[in-house]
Amino acid sequence: MSSIQSIGAKAAPAVPLLIARLSDERSTLDEVAAAMAIVASPVGDDAAYALEAIGKPAVPALAETCSGPADALVRIRAIRALGRIGSQAGQALPHLKKCRHDEDEWVRFFAVEALVKIAAKPADVVPQLPAD
């Protein structure tokens, strides 16, 4: 677990840098570490876990990322982080619902998984089917 993850919601100022790093497979979180005066870990999945640990303050940026123009892997990382945040990520429901129709099958899969973890009502996960 990275140092950012262990800080939790107090690391909210790092959200923009972590969102930018969701697509980065090679670099480290040196910029975030310097900004937060902590030792950082590799990015990519670790950035998603750190955003999850930040929790509710990270939800708006994660929601925008999951339904934005980023590549599928970045959207999946954002979606999975939202799912792990759980019920505190309720404001992301409209973005996740949009992801159910994504062209990428894994984005769709993880969007439904996140909706199940976040939504209190089945109708938020599965749209109502039309009556015959």
Side-chain angles (χ1 to χ4, degrees):
M1 178 179 279
S2 77
S3 297
I4 294 173
Q5 288 173 273
S6 66
I7 292 173
K10 292 179 184 176
V15 169
L17 290 171
L18 290 165
I19 290 291
R21 296 296 189 194
L22 285 175
S23 64
D24 193 341
E25 291 292 331
R26 297 167 287 145
S27 68
T28 63
L29 289 175
D30 291 335
E31 295 168 17
V32 177
M36 301 293 295
I38 57 174
V39 177
S41 64
V43 291
D45 289 335
D46 284 348
Y49 287 118
L51 287 159
E52 169 198 348
I54 291 169
K56 193 170 185 173
V59 170
L62 285 167
E64 288 296 324
T65 301
C66 79
S67 63
D71 69 28
L73 179 59
V74 173
R75 293 193 320 271
I76 289 168
R77 285 177 173 148
I79 290 166
R80 295 190 77 199
L82 287 166
R84 289 187 298 262
I85 291 170
S87 62
Q88 291 185 8
Q91 73 186 82
L93 289 175
H95 296 273
L96 291 167
K97 288 177 182 180
K98 179 180 172 186
C99 291
R100 290 182 307 196
H101 306 289
D102 195 273
E103 64 183 40
D104 185 277
E105 66 184 303
W106 290 108
V107 169
R108 294 191 306 266
F109 173 84
F110 287 114
V112 171
E113 180 183 68
L115 283 165
V116 168
K117 291 177 178 180
I118 296 168
K121 300 180 287 186
D124 287 333
V125 179
V126 180
Q128 186 173 4
L129 300 173
D132 286 337

